[in-house]
């Protein structure tokens, strides 16, 4: 992140949704987070959701600062705890649309336990994970996303750990919507965020994002454009493949696309059903859960 | 099958259950928790009582999440609480800090067991008193309430919610295993006799709203998610707009505000009872379950002609410094029984400032304090004094 920047002179098309009095933002030149943020703003506008009903919850890190620039109800919480905070917020106000936007380290290292359980419960949250393959804000340490062999300040000889496949993890835990794009797939990413917002249940959108300052610097890809092109050129779209097969192989290709779009009762659906006594005893549980039709989606 | 939130009547119930009923009676409609002895009964009762009254119970994956979830629910406009014991209380410290920094009303009930670490899961202690005061990092003021019976678990939980709503902070109920598990008579009054305080809401239009601009009472009105105020809430040091500002001046301002809103109202927050104190030359100062031992000890001492009295602390944080200072000028000795090896007694000594003798009746935990030990301490303190 950087702090030596001037106030922008020209208006931004999303000024209405921005805390312009907080500009300039802290993100580095060439950082992909701003692009992702822009896509979120477009998706919020396009979704038609009443703005008073949209909230954003972030954790800690470069991406965690998104909440601070959004001129809607926005919550910048503790490291890793965006999802449980959002859980309370959503359950207290079920009509609200709660977007969790945070980084890979925040959501899937320190917050990993919350992530898997929120997906299992199918909490109606939209989780956007900006994956920059390292801890950017603290200067570039290895994360659960750091590719095997990549250099960071805490793996100067190369990262000796295997990374998570976040999309496979989300799907295995029960997420009803799972997609991955790079921050250069602006149109597709915006569409995915919109679909995720409208989806009832735990939706997950991963965005591969260049971090030239921290990740790029240690991996000989210091120029923002170079890094952006690298991600984009190696990305291949494979919609609806099993997310287990949606691997990020930096030597060959980075599989992106929309992988999962299914229906499953949400936490609140089931909570209400059971507490109204509308189901018989376990294990028969008659009458059966009314399962909505699988949505035709494109 | 809508149930009643206020179960007016007379019951025989344990302290954990009474805590739950107090919370429901004052309007708590969200509970997030994680099972832990000896606080599990609060969660168990909440899990069926909350759906009855249209609320939400959720069992989280750990106590970090439980605490974060109740903060979120509170910003969603719902009164929220969690309950736990030592190991869980340690995990909750992280987001108790967030609650203090973001000034989020909520209630945490710690049914204390003996520690450190796993300690004695099923047995009593009062070892988390300083953790309650200073467990989260940074500087702040906290409110902690100490019930000594199931009835007080009911009554004080109501007060804990009211204080949290009034002063916008997490309020701690520092119960213990014996108070939580003992069954006693609990009287639940009619709903219209229960005082319910709710957070002040902003009265200005959204463009003029400054989420951390204090009112005359030092507390800022609080908008809920969905009210249209589009506020920003952060655990970073922030100004009155709620915006992060990374400098010493903003830090000074923010910390002073969250400290003063409690210090300036300490008189309204602090609660204690003076029992048999009129002619007392020694005061037993006790809190929580140790009040029960102290009551018996004072009666025994009186029976032996010793002029002992009891100061029963209903709140421990903020500490009643002025009251203790005055008291120390009037009695010859202060005796504090506590189920730790000396925590609140340090505050007692500090407040007494050498004006009278201060004696600790320590106990490492696992059982309550024998009244005889307190009588002995009173006797020897008066002899020396
Ligand atoms: S993610 Fe990297 S490039 Fe972006 S703001 Fe953080 S350090 Fe800078």
């Amino acid at each position: 992140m950087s702090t030596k920047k001037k106030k922008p002179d020209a208006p931004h098309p999303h000024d209405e949704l921005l805390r312009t009095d907080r500009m300039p933002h802290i993100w580095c030149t060439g950082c992909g987070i701003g692009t992702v943020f822009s896509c979120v703003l477009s998706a919020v506008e396009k979704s038609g959701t009443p703005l008073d009903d949209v909230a954003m919850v972030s954790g800690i890190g470069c991406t965690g600062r998104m909440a601070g620039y959004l001129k809607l109800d926005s919550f910048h919480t503790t490291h890793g705890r965006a999802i449980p905070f959002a859980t309370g917020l959503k359950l207290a106000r079920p009509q609200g649309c709660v977007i969790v936007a945070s980084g890979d380290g925040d959501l899937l290292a320190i917050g990993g336990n919350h992530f898997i359980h929120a997906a299992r419960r199918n909490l109606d949250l939209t989780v956007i994970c900006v994956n920059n393959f390292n801890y950017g804000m603290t200067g570039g340490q290895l994360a659960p996303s750091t590719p095997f062999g990549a250099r960071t300040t805490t793996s100067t000889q190369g990262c000796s750990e295997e990374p998570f496949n976040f999309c496979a993890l989300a799907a295995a835990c029960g997420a009803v919507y799972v997609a991955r794009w790079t921050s250069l797939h602006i149109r597709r990413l915006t569409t995915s965020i919109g679909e995720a917002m409208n989806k009832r249940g735990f939706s997950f959108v991963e965005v591969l994002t260049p971090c030239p300052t921290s990740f790029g610097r240690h991996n000989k890809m210091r120029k923002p454009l170079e890094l952006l092109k690298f991600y984009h050129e190696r990305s291949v779209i494979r919609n609806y493949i099993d997310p287990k097969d949606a691997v990020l192989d930096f030597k060959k290709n980075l599989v992106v696309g929309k992988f999962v779009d299914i229906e499953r009762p949400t936490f609140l659906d089931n909570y209400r059903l059971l507490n109204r006594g509308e189901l018989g005893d376990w294990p028969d549980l008659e009458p059966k859960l009314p399962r909505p039709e699988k949505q035709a989606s494109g | 099958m809508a149930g009643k939130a206020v179960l007016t009547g007379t019951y025989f119930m344990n302290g954990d259950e009474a805590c739950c009923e107090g919370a429901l009676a004052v309007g708590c409609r969200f509970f997030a928790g994680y099972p832990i002895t000896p606080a599990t009964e609060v969660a168990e009762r909440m899990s069926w009582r909350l759906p009855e009254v249209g609320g939400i119970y959720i069992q989280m994956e750990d106590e970090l999440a439980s605490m974060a979830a109740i903060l979120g629910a509170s910003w969603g406009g719902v009164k929220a609480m969690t309950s736990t014991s030592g190991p869980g209380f340690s995990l909750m410290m992280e987001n108790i800090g967030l609650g203090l920094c973001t000034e989020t009303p909520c209630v945490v009930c710690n049914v204390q067991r003996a520690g450190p670490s796993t300690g004695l899961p099923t047995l009593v202690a009062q070892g988390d008193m300083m953790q309650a005061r200073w467990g989260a990092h940074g500087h702040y003021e906290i409110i902690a309430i100490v019930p000594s019976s199931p009835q007080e678990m009911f009554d004080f939980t109501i007060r804990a919610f009211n204080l949290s709503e009034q002063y916008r902070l997490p309020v701690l109920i520092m119960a213990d295993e014996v108070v939580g598990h003992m069954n006693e008579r609990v009287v639940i009054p009619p709903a219209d006799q229960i005082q319910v305080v709710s957070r002040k809401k902003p009265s200005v239009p959204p463009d003029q709203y400054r989420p951390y601009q204090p009112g005359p009472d030092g507390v800022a009105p609080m908008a809920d998610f969905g009210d249209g105020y589009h506020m920003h809430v952060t655990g970073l040091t922030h100004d009155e707009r709620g915006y992060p500002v990374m400098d010493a001046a903003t830090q000074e301002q923010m910390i002073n505000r969250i400290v003063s809103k409690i210090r300036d109202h300490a008189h309204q927050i602090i609660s204690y009872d003076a029992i048999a104190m009129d002619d007392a030359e020694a005061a037993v100062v006790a809190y929580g379950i140790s009040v029960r031992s102290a009551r018996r000890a004072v009666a025994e001492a009186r029976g032996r002609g010793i002029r002992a009295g009891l100061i029963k602390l209903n709140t421990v944080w903020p500490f009643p410094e002025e009251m203790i200072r005055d008291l120390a000028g009037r009695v010859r000795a202060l005796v504090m029984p506590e189920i730790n090896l000396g925590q609140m007694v340090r505050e007692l000594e500090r407040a007494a400032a050498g004006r009278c003798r201060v004696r600790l009746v320590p106990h490492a935990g696992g059982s309550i304090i024998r009244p005889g030990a307190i009588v002995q301490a009173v006797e020897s303190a008066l002899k020396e004094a």
Side-chain angles (χ1 to χ4, degrees):
Chain A
M1 52 158 197
S2 88
T3 44
K4 300 167 271 183
K5 273 186 293 181
K6 281 205 215 94
K7 278 231 175 263
D9 318 312
H12 187 277
H14 291 302
D15 267 356
E16 219 176 295
L17 284 176
L18 288 173
R19 295 189 192 276
T20 48
D21 51 349
R22 287 212 59 215
M23 295 299 147
H25 57 67
I26 63 156
W27 298 313
C28 308
T29 313
C31 174
I33 297 174
T35 319
V36 181
F37 190 43
S38 228
C39 295
V40 174
L41 300 178
S42 300
V44 167
E45 267 170 0
K46 283 186 197 152
S47 74
T49 316
L51 293 180
D52 291 354
D53 277 338
V54 180
M56 180 181 278
V57 184
S58 287
I60 298 298
C62 293
T63 310
R65 296 302 183 94
M66 263 196 207
Y69 300 123
L70 179 67
K71 204 163 74 184
L72 295 176
D73 290 334
S74 53
F75 304 89
H76 179 228
T77 64
T78 37
H79 197 21
R81 317 299 167 219
I83 287 179
F85 185 98
T87 299
L89 193 67
K90 172 70 188 180
L91 294 178
R93 194 178 162 80
Q95 66 270 45
C97 171
V98 179
I99 302 169
V100 174
S102 224
D104 47 287
D106 187 74
L107 286 169
L108 285 134
I110 189 166
N113 198 27
H114 312 310
F115 181 90
I116 63 176
H117 287 280
R120 171 182 64 80
R121 295 184 184 110
N122 201 21
L123 277 159
D124 189 8
L125 301 174
T126 298
V127 179
I128 301 165
C129 173
V130 173
N131 182 358
N132 57 14
F133 304 104
N134 76 141
Y135 287 88
M137 182 163 272
T138 43
Q141 294 75 34
L142 80 87
S145 53
T146 305
F148 177 75
R151 290 177 203 271
T152 69
T153 61
T154 49
S155 60
T156 50
Q157 303 306 308
C159 171
S160 59
E161 300 177 14
E162 298 275 352
F164 265 142
N165 174 342
F166 296 152
C167 288
L169 181 67
C173 295
V176 290
Y177 185 98
V178 178
R180 176 195 288 147
W181 302 106
T182 74
S183 60
L184 249 185
H185 291 97
I186 292 177
R187 200 171 42 81
R188 291 186 163 96
L189 174 59
T190 307
T191 305
S192 262
I193 295 171
E195 287 177 353
M197 284 175 64
N198 288 326
K199 189 86 192 171
R200 295 181 75 254
F202 190 89
S203 315
F204 179 64
V205 181
E206 177 185 4
V207 196
L208 312 182
T209 306
C211 165
T213 307
S214 297
F215 187 72
R217 179 163 56 112
H218 299 289
N219 291 289
K220 301 197 186 99
M221 276 184 273
R222 213 183 179 132
K223 289 204 187 108
L225 202 59
E226 210 181 326
L227 205 53
L228 201 60
K229 272 196 185 145
F230 173 74
Y231 292 162
H232 195 251
E233 276 162 12
R234 301 215 169 177
S235 66
V236 289
I237 300 174
R238 297 270 187 276
N239 287 326
Y240 294 109
I241 67 160
D242 186 332
K244 281 206 294 288
D245 301 324
V247 290
L248 297 177
D249 180 348
F250 286 80
K251 267 195 293 206
K252 293 191 199 124
N253 49 40
L254 311 174
V255 179
V256 298
K258 173 160 88 173
F259 307 131
V260 177
D261 191 350
I262 56 167
E263 302 294 328
R264 192 160 78 85
T266 65
F267 172 86
L268 271 183
D269 291 342
N270 284 337
Y271 184 85
R272 288 176 179 146
L273 207 58
L274 282 159
N275 284 307
R276 272 197 234 111
E278 288 176 13
L279 290 181
D281 287 338
W282 184 85
D284 295 329
L285 296 175
E286 297 292 344
K288 286 219 167 66
L289 297 173
R291 302 238 179 221
E293 298 284 313
K294 188 179 173 194
Q295 209 179 45
S297 38
Chain B
M1 48 166 226
K4 278 181 21 187
V6 185
L7 295 182
T8 305
T10 303
Y11 299 85
F12 187 61
M13 59 167 68
N14 74 30
D16 283 357
E17 294 167 325
C19 169
C20 165
E21 290 306 327
L24 296 172
V26 74
C28 171
R29 291 296 178 271
F30 184 91
F31 182 98
Y34 189 82
I36 188 166
T37 306
T40 304
E41 291 86 345
V42 185
E44 283 177 339
R45 194 175 177 95
M46 280 292 191
S47 75
W48 60 270
R49 282 286 282 138
L50 270 170
E52 276 191 352
V53 299
I56 298 276
Y57 165 87
I58 184 166
Q59 191 162 304
M60 296 303 284
E61 49 276 12
D62 57 31
E63 289 90 348
L64 300 161
S66 304
M67 191 62 215
I70 69 167
L71 297 181
S74 184
W75 281 101
V78 173
K79 291 183 185 175
M81 80 170 290
T82 186
S83 65
T84 191
S85 191
F89 197 50
S90 295
L91 292 185
M92 285 180 185
M93 282 304 150
E94 176 192 63
N95 290 301
I96 287 175
L98 179 64
L100 290 161
C101 187
T102 56
E103 302 184 55
T104 308
C106 61
V107 170
V108 179
C109 177
N110 177 2
V111 187
Q112 294 173 89
R113 63 194 226 186
S117 190
T118 314
L120 298 172
T122 59
L123 297 175
V124 66
Q126 297 179 303
D128 309 346
M129 305 310 294
M130 283 294 163
Q131 186 184 21
R133 178 64 188 87
W134 297 113
H137 54 277
H139 199 98
Y140 52 86
E141 285 286 333
I142 194 88
I143 298 177
I145 295 197
V146 270
S148 66
S149 65
Q151 181 68 54
E152 286 183 350
M153 281 291 259
F154 178 86
D155 298 336
F156 289 8
T157 300
I158 292 175
R159 179 142 201 262
F161 271 95
N162 288 341
L163 289 169
S164 80
E165 293 283 322
Q166 186 172 357
Y167 297 109
R168 279 189 66 178
L169 81 168
V171 170
L172 312 177
I173 301 171
M174 297 302 287
D176 62 74
E177 186 275 330
V178 174
V179 166
H181 280 166
M182 77 160 108
N183 281 271
E184 276 184 341
R185 201 169 100 115
V186 173
V187 179
I188 300 183
D192 59 9
Q193 284 172 29
I194 291 172
Q195 195 205 359
V196 178
V197 178
S198 295
R199 62 194 71 171
K200 265 185 308 172
K201 305 275 263 172
S203 52
V204 295
D207 58 327
Q208 285 166 34
Y209 179 51
R210 293 167 83 84
Y212 292 98
Q213 183 173 42
D217 58 352
V219 184
M222 179 174 169
D224 301 328
F225 164 38
D227 284 351
Y229 281 87
H230 299 178
M231 69 271 184
H232 181 56
V233 175
T234 178
L236 285 167
T237 294
H238 46 266
D239 62 15
E240 288 186 349
R241 296 170 302 174
Y243 288 3
V245 182
M246 303 296 98
D247 63 30
T250 313
Q251 170 76 0
E252 174 92 23
Q253 224 171 28
M254 186 185 88
I255 298 303
N256 273 319
R257 196 185 63 251
I258 65 174
V259 163
S260 325
K261 72 177 178 184
I262 304 303
R263 285 192 185 163
D264 293 350
H265 297 96
H267 284 290
Q268 285 105 295
I269 297 166
I270 289 168
S271 160
Y272 62 89
D273 296 312
I275 299 155
M277 281 302 299
D278 288 345
D279 63 341
E281 42 177 9
V284 180
V285 183
Y287 62 90
I289 188 61
S290 298
V291 165
R292 311 292 286 262
S293 310
R295 271 184 195 279
R296 173 71 178 270
V298 167
E300 273 180 27
R302 288 269 168 187
R304 288 204 230 156
I306 303 167
R307 285 190 294 153
L310 170 63
I311 298 289
K312 167 181 178 293
L313 302 181
N314 300 325
T315 54
V316 282
W317 303 117
F319 191 74
E321 309 203 6
E322 278 179 39
M323 180 271 284
I324 296 292
R325 196 181 325 125
D326 291 350
L327 184 66
R330 287 189 281 117
V331 297
R332 288 165 55 213
L334 296 174
V335 174
M336 178 173 270
E338 50 179 347
I339 310 179
N340 58 56
L341 299 192
Q343 291 190 15
M344 295 309 300
V345 76
R346 291 164 178 264
E347 291 296 302
L348 198 66
E349 275 167 353
R350 196 170 60 79
R355 303 172 86 185
C356 74
R357 220 161 260 280
V358 176
R359 280 285 172 277
L360 165 70
V361 183
H363 183 36
S367 63
I368 58 172
I369 293 176
R370 285 179 306 103
I374 304 172
V375 179
Q376 233 172 22
V378 170
E379 266 184 324
S380 74
L382 284 178
K383 250 180 234 153
E384 288 167 39

